Amino acid sequence: VGDKGKSKKDDNSSSSRPVKRIAIIGLPNTGKSQVFNNLTGEYTLVANYPLTTVEMKRSRCEIGGQICEVIDTPGLHCLYIHSEEELIVRDMIFKEAPDVIIQCIDANQLKQSLTLTADLLELGIPLVISLNAIDETARRGVLIDSDGLSRILGVPVVESVTADGLSTKLLKDAIGRASRGNWSLRYGEIIDEGISAIVSELPEKMSFKKKAAILLLLSDPFLADYLEAEYGEEKVAQLKGLVSRIRRRFRGNFGSAINKKRSQWIAQIAESTTKKHKIAPGEFSKVFGRMSRHPIFGLPILVFFLVTTYLLVTHVAGFLDSILSAALLDPTVEYITELLPSGFWNEFLVGDYGILTLGLFNAIVTILPILSVFFLMFGFLEDIGYIPNLCVLTKRIFEKIGLTGKAIMPLVLGFGCKTMATLTTRGLRSKKEKFIAVYLIAFALPCSAQMGIDIAIFGRIGFKAFMIGYGALLIIELCAGLALNKIIKGEEKSFFLQELPAIRIPSPKAIAKKTGYRLYWFLKEAIPIFIIAAVVLFLFDKTGVLDLTKTLMSPIVEGWLGLPRDIVDVLILAIARHEAAAGLTLKMVDTGALNYIQCIVTVVITTMFVPCFANVVAMCKQMGVKTGLAMAAAINTSSFILAGILNWILVFTIGR
Amino acid sequence: MNPMNKKRERDEHLEQLWYMKEEGTDSMDVLKTNMEQGYDAAIIDELVSEGLVELKHQGNTITLTKKGRDSARQLIRAHRLAERLLHDVLGGDYESGACEFEHTVNPELVDSICILLGHPRTCPHGMPIPEGRCCRQSSRTAQSSVIPLVELEVAQSARVAYINCKSDQQLHKMDSLCIRPGAVVTLHQRYPTYVIECEGSNIAMDEEIVSNICVWREPQNFQPSEADTPGRKGRSYRRRGKFRHGKRGRS
């Protein structure tokens, strides 16, 4: 709250080029990141589900001839805080006091959003409203009078179809007209007097005193902690005394009293600005949404998506791979072999561990086609809003493994990116649930990139292998969950209350763009790692270290896991980057170095073995360095044990 | 002082002592501070002589006797039920209304309101409503007009009457999703978990939360296909044995 914002403002007035801070704020899944992308010309990941953005993102750009710092934020329901992500946003608002706030409202959820609007108006920061997805409401027969809304609230309201980015110019113009709006809601005599009494007791230099006073009346725990840290226990004790005196006078719950006054205000606004036309509600998207979480129809739909993905990745990516090989890999290898017939340089460039064959071309020729096809499919599923429905289907299963409430969504999101999913566990209050969730996300859950590659490998040997491999991973994950649930003590249960996004027909352009960026990020991050890993393996091989390692590991690798000793190369590459390991696995499958069972065991062990580096960092961030590393170690050990067990089961059931 | 005012002041003292019992304090000083100008030593003496309260430690602590607890319990029950009725169900302003209510009603009327509202467990502030005889017998002689949302059939809609809620956080979260008294909700699915629709958005939730949301039994007009044919009313709201309402655990 305090002086930080103030001092920054002073800096601004003295410097010749003031930076205007613009915060983009709104409910979860209302298109904040899309507005951010449109305003700044950058790209952050957008998808049709809550929790896509878990961290604050900032970027500078010029709007109306002024340098602006635009801040993208995780979703916020209201300034009374429910979760840690929300706390970051509120802290940012209170500490930095942005000059303008853009509130993103999903036109489908006008009423829900107006609660936050009320909070923001109460703060008194100039506000602009970006009314997103207005095209969808129009299709549903709901018309929103945005001019009327603007008149009532006293702030500019920009209608926008964010996915097209057409209204960016309008929004930029509106930022200049941002206004504090009309806010005249009174909560009743006792509360209003109480608010002014607290305001006069709050420290002089604090900003947003009125809002802080209301939050104190609602006994917001985070704010009391903050005040204690900033202004000392004495002040807080004094304020708490005042609050309890007011509470006694009121003899009631401020929460319901304040909420009720606000819902009246909201209902009035919503009523006067929305018009409904009768349109039959049974449109495709609604039916599809319901089907996809239905206990009977939901499963076939899930299987349909899995099989489609399997077929696309296997056939389309395989086809692309062969084209690229013919056009790129084969001629280069031939050319180099002609130029440098055998010897050190030939091996260094195009040998078994060559930087071109195992490094660059592995990434471009083998992995890139797989990921492009898979990410297209995954992006499609993300943008129609299918993924959160999985948490309805899987709720009962998660309950069995000790995950009751808020932990379900992070685990479902783990199929996208395990690192992001681990970060979303920040919101979990129960230590037990957090531990189980973080562990299970890192363990036998394949992230989207891993899944794409796994599918490609299984594609080489048949759909049955895919079912066996993923069945094994599922069983392992469930058993791990059951075991952790038994071992870890703690009875706290969090409640489960999860909004499900509306199913939308996605724009192909948006999916293509998202896939493009994902591939670009992959290439940028992974190619150097691929090349370095190749160089390291090459050096290990030349110096004999590799051979020694293989001999040392052979009882485990050959004896227990039943894999050829060369799989050590794959395991070493997996430490660097899972995709690199997969490239080599694919090659081994193609050359016949791995048989049916070995192939399944390899995929299962590489899916579990060494969660990627970013994921380990995220684990340490959530659980503390010690616990995070211990978890990673436990995961690695158990991946060897379990993959071995799987090997022996397969050997005895299918035969060698 | 006229007799009605007298009774009122006595009642206020008893209620305050009940609040203090809930907060776990029995200090005379706290009573004095809490009652502010309303504190009257003469009334305390009267309550002591009637055996409703007990003074200990040279009058420094004050507690309700068994008899006193019973009287206070009736008052609190009436007060909190009235709040529920006025605030959530009738949509009125309870700041003033409910305070007068408990001084004028008899226990039978209170029980009728309790039955009508489906035996609510908490007042709008989240404080427990003391159980009455009707709750223990889970009396069904008068039909409750308010039932828990879990008792709706799939695809049925109803208007929220009130929400039984333990935690402020949960209540706020629901409020931010527009699940509040007066909102129309539709139950879409029970299994594997509950999905309801409220103000155009779908929300998945667990059974505990759904059973805390209480809705009006009367069918609303917005569902012409389902509702308003008198013969069907009873049927479409038939109870599922599992969720039979009186059997919900209450302590």
Side-chain angles (χ1 to χ4, degrees):
Chain A
V1 185
D3 44 354
K4 201 172 157 201
K6 220 172 187 181
S7 67
K8 269 205 178 158
K9 257 183 211 145
D10 294 344
D11 290 350
N12 289 347
S13 54
S14 59
S15 73
S16 54
R17 292 178 57 166
V19 174
K20 196 167 172 180
R21 266 192 309 273
I22 303 174
I24 304 173
I25 285 169
L27 262 54
N29 201 24
T30 48
K32 295 176 290 299
S33 297
Q34 186 68 55
V35 167
F36 177 83
N37 292 345
N38 291 346
L39 282 178
T40 61
E42 287 198 9
Y43 189 83
T44 51
L45 214 53
V46 289
N48 178 18
Y49 53 71
L51 298 174
T52 317
T53 307
V54 281
E55 307 238 271
M56 216 75 82
K57 193 154 182 187
R58 292 159 193 269
S59 174
R60 292 204 169 188
C61 64
E62 204 177 299
I63 295 172
Q66 200 173 13
I67 306 279
C68 296
E69 185 181 52
V70 185
I71 309 168
D72 185 21
T73 62
L76 179 73
H77 279 105
C78 59
L79 289 177
Y80 182 89
I81 299 302
H82 307 107
S83 72
E84 304 262 328
E85 290 98 72
E86 297 191 321
L87 184 63
I88 320 179
V89 182
R90 192 180 74 184
D91 275 355
M92 185 277 290
I93 299 175
F94 272 27
K95 285 188 184 149
E96 300 189 22
D99 302 289
V100 174
I101 288 179
I102 299 176
Q103 189 195 357
C104 287
I105 294 183
D106 183 331
N108 298 305
Q109 300 180 302
L110 182 64
K111 270 192 174 178
Q112 287 92 325
S113 297
L114 283 170
T115 311
L116 181 61
T117 311
D119 270 345
L120 295 175
L121 285 173
E122 222 159 34
L123 281 179
I125 295 178
L127 186 69
V128 177
I129 288 175
S130 170
L131 200 56
N132 300 336
I134 194 94
D135 50 333
E136 254 172 55
T137 46
R139 264 204 304 278
R140 279 178 38 221
V142 178
L143 295 180
I144 296 179
D145 171 16
S146 56
D147 292 335
L149 190 63
S150 170
R151 249 195 325 278
I152 298 173
L153 296 174
V155 302
V157 175
V158 181
E159 283 187 14
S160 93
V161 182
T162 37
D164 293 355
L166 278 172
S167 16
T168 311
K169 198 186 160 299
L170 287 175
L171 184 61
K172 283 185 177 174
D173 292 345
I175 289 171
R177 289 181 283 119
S179 132
R180 290 193 170 77
N182 319 321
W183 179 253
S184 51
L185 192 65
R186 291 282 163 268
Y187 294 116
E189 207 178 307
I190 304 180
I191 299 183
D192 285 336
E193 274 174 19
I195 292 170
S196 0
I198 298 175
V199 165
S200 61
E201 286 294 317
L202 282 171
E204 188 76 32
K205 55 189 172 178
M206 199 165 145
S207 33
F208 308 122
K209 283 189 191 151
K210 188 167 173 205
K211 190 69 223 177
I214 295 174
L215 290 171
L216 279 174
L217 274 181
L218 295 172
S219 58
D220 182 294
F222 296 105
L223 187 63
D225 290 350
Y226 170 80
L227 287 173
E228 197 167 308
E230 206 82 345
Y231 303 105
E233 266 173 56
E234 206 178 314
K235 189 83 208 168
V236 175
Q238 185 195 340
L239 286 168
K240 277 189 177 159
L242 181 59
V243 168
S244 63
R245 274 202 296 287
I246 300 167
R247 273 173 175 263
R248 250 195 319 272
R249 267 188 71 200
F250 184 63
R251 269 250 223 108
N253 182 320
F254 289 100
S256 9
I258 289 176
N259 281 347
K260 196 168 156 213
K261 280 275 182 336
R262 287 191 168 185
S263 3
Q264 284 165 352
W265 180 79
I266 289 164
Q268 224 175 354
I269 293 179
E271 194 144 307
S272 59
T273 54
T274 43
K275 278 198 192 75
K276 269 184 201 167
H277 288 266
K278 278 263 174 192
I279 287 188
E283 340 104 32
F284 166 75
S285 68
K286 241 182 173 171
V287 174
F288 177 77
R290 242 175 263 168
M291 288 294 175
S292 67
R293 49 184 177 258
H294 190 275
I296 297 163
F297 301 113
L299 210 61
I301 291 178
L302 176 63
V303 171
F304 170 77
F305 280 136
L306 278 176
V307 173
T308 312
T309 315
Y310 174 85
L311 291 175
L312 281 177
V313 170
T314 316
H315 294 296
V316 180
F319 175 67
L320 289 176
D321 186 346
S322 63
I323 291 182
L324 280 174
S325 287
L328 213 64
L329 179 65
D330 299 344
T332 319
V333 174
E334 249 170 62
Y335 180 73
I336 289 178
T337 320
E338 220 166 85
L339 209 66
L340 303 160
S342 67
F344 178 81
W345 287 108
N346 179 294
E347 270 186 53
F348 180 70
L349 289 174
V350 294
D352 279 346
Y353 306 113
I355 58 162
L356 289 183
T357 34
L358 191 56
L360 193 61
F361 289 141
N362 184 7
I364 294 177
V365 175
T366 316
I367 305 300
L368 194 63
I370 297 172
L371 290 185
S372 26
V373 174
F374 185 81
F375 282 157
L376 269 178
M377 184 66 196
F378 192 73
F380 170 76
L381 290 181
E382 276 186 332
D383 280 13
I384 57 174
Y386 174 72
I387 291 164
N389 287 313
L390 287 176
C391 73
V392 176
L393 282 181
T394 50
K395 166 88 183 5
R396 301 269 158 161
I397 302 169
F398 284 129
E399 229 165 57
K400 292 262 185 315
I401 59 176
L403 301 176
T404 47
K406 294 180 191 159
I408 293 174
M409 192 63 180
L411 215 63
V412 170
L413 293 181
F415 287 103
C417 171
K418 292 158 82 152
T419 309
M420 294 313 263
T422 308
L423 289 177
T424 58
T425 60
R426 184 167 44 199
L428 301 181
R429 274 299 161 87
S430 149
K431 278 219 171 95
K432 177 180 175 173
E433 284 198 343
K434 190 165 170 180
F435 188 95
I436 299 181
V438 170
Y439 191 93
L440 290 184
I441 289 169
F443 195 38
L445 200 77
C447 70
S448 55
Q450 177 81 49
M451 203 192 289
I453 295 158
D454 285 354
I455 291 173
I457 297 173
F458 285 132
R460 299 284 211 272
I461 56 169
F463 191 71
K464 201 177 136 203
F466 173 73
M467 296 300 285
I468 296 175
Y470 269 35
L473 283 173
L474 183 68
I475 293 169
I476 290 172
E477 183 83 345
L478 289 180
C479 293
L482 285 172
L484 287 174
N485 188 26
K486 277 269 180 306
I487 298 165
I488 304 170
K489 290 188 182 69
E491 286 304 306
E492 314 160 62
K493 258 177 78 180
S494 62
F495 60 91
F496 175 65
L497 198 63
Q498 177 67 52
E499 312 141 80
L500 303 170
I503 298 287
R504 340 196 119 130
I505 312 289
S507 114
K509 208 176 127 200
I511 298 177
K513 193 172 174 192
K514 175 151 77 172
T515 310
Y517 270 99
R518 280 195 165 135
L519 294 175
Y520 168 71
W521 290 330
F522 163 73
L523 289 176
K524 204 170 99 183
E525 273 175 44
I527 286 189
I529 299 176
F530 270 55
I531 292 175
I532 292 166
V535 170
V536 170
L537 265 187
F538 178 77
L539 291 177
F540 276 14
D541 185 43
K542 281 284 161 220
T543 50
V545 177
L546 191 59
D547 210 41
L548 187 70
T549 320
K550 284 181 188 174
T551 314
L552 285 176
M553 299 266 294
S554 101
I556 302 175
V557 171
E558 290 182 301
W560 174 240
L561 294 172
L563 297 171
R565 55 189 259 135
D566 282 348
I567 216 74
V568 171
D569 300 342
V570 171
L571 295 179
I572 292 175
L573 281 182
I575 297 174
R577 184 113 187 168
H578 281 211
E579 293 96 328
L584 191 57
T585 316
L586 274 172
K587 213 163 97 189
M588 291 175 79
V589 176
D590 289 343
T591 57
L594 292 175
N595 65 26
Y596 193 77
I597 294 179
Q598 288 172 332
C599 189
I600 297 174
V601 175
T602 308
V603 170
V604 169
I605 195 167
T606 46
T607 303
M608 293 187 287
F609 179 61
V610 200
C612 80
F613 184 68
N615 192 2
V616 177
V617 172
M619 282 157 74
C620 292
K621 205 166 159 190
Q622 293 308 310
M623 308 300 301
V625 177
K626 224 169 113 188
T627 322
L629 291 178
M631 269 187 185
I635 287 169
N636 287 339
T637 322
S638 36
S639 68
F640 272 95
I641 297 171
L642 294 168
I645 295 175
L646 175 68
N647 169 46
W648 290 105
I649 292 176
L650 290 179
V651 166
F652 283 115
T653 50
I654 311 180
R656 275 173 208 270
Chain B
M1 193 184 285
N2 80 42
M4 190 57 221
N5 271 344
K6 182 80 177 292
K7 175 177 184 316
R8 216 196 108 159
E9 286 196 9
R10 276 169 51 106
D11 289 355
E12 296 285 349
H13 280 78
L14 286 171
E15 284 177 58
Q16 191 53 244
L17 285 164
W18 180 277
Y19 297 141
M20 283 168 55
K21 187 169 82 82
E22 283 178 335
E23 285 161 17
T25 169
D26 57 1
S27 146
M28 193 64 168
D29 289 338
V30 174
L31 178 70
K32 282 180 189 163
T33 344
N34 288 0
M35 295 291 297
E36 288 171 12
Q37 294 92 344
Y39 177 78
D40 188 341
I43 288 181
I44 297 289
D45 292 342
E46 205 181 295
L47 293 174
V48 172
S49 66
E50 285 173 36
L52 291 167
V53 303
E54 234 176 347
L55 293 174
K56 280 185 193 150
H57 302 108
Q58 296 91 41
N60 283 327
T61 65
I62 178 165
T63 48
L64 292 165
T65 60
K66 166 112 192 10
K67 193 173 157 202
R69 274 202 300 281
D70 288 343
S71 312
R73 184 190 172 81
Q74 285 289 350
L75 291 165
I76 295 291
R77 179 169 150 76
H79 181 91
R80 288 184 178 158
L81 274 169
E83 283 178 345
R84 199 82 268 179
L85 182 72
L86 290 175
H87 173 248
D88 292 340
V89 180
L90 303 180
D93 191 352
Y94 65 87
E95 268 185 65
S96 47
C99 301
E100 302 300 326
F101 181 81
E102 71 267 29
H103 312 296
T104 50
V105 288
N106 61 23
E108 287 72 33
L109 183 55
V110 172
D111 281 357
S112 306
I113 294 170
C114 187
I115 294 167
L116 179 78
L117 297 182
H119 310 288
R121 285 165 291 167
T122 59
C123 74
H125 311 128
M127 301 302 288
I129 297 175
E131 253 179 13
R133 212 181 31 202
C134 68
C135 310
R136 284 190 289 272
Q137 294 171 343
S138 57
S139 170
R140 282 276 181 200
T141 42
Q143 275 236 313
S144 296
S145 293
V146 174
I147 53 171
L149 181 57
V150 281
E151 291 188 16
L152 283 192
E153 299 280 310
V154 167
Q156 245 181 352
S157 302
R159 199 173 286 279
V160 175
Y162 59 86
I163 294 165
N164 275 324
C165 206
K166 291 181 296 194
S167 85
D168 257 9
Q169 255 205 0
Q170 201 169 320
L171 198 69
H172 260 96
K173 175 87 191 189
M174 289 213 239
D175 191 78
S176 70
L177 296 171
C178 278
I179 308 173
R180 51 173 81 120
V184 174
V185 292
T186 308
L187 180 66
H188 277 316
Q189 158 173 4
R190 293 169 183 280
Y191 193 85
T193 189
Y194 287 84
V195 176
I196 68 164
E197 187 181 326
C198 179
E199 297 291 350
S201 50
N202 288 300
I203 302 146
M205 51 177 69
D206 52 32
E207 188 174 327
E208 195 189 325
I209 295 185
V210 185
S211 40
N212 280 337
I213 301 174
C214 295
V215 296
W216 286 107
R217 162 188 291 279
E218 224 33 55
Q220 306 286 332
N221 293 328
F222 45 76
Q223 254 196 335
S225 59
E226 289 271 342
D228 282 353
T229 29
R232 294 192 50 186
K233 240 185 225 176
R235 268 223 349 257
S236 63
Y237 281 94
R238 75 170 174 266
R239 210 125 284 151
R240 300 189 163 226
K242 195 176 157 197
F243 298 120
R244 194 179 290 276
H245 175 103
K247 288 191 184 157
R248 264 182 301 146
R250 257 184 238 113
S251 51

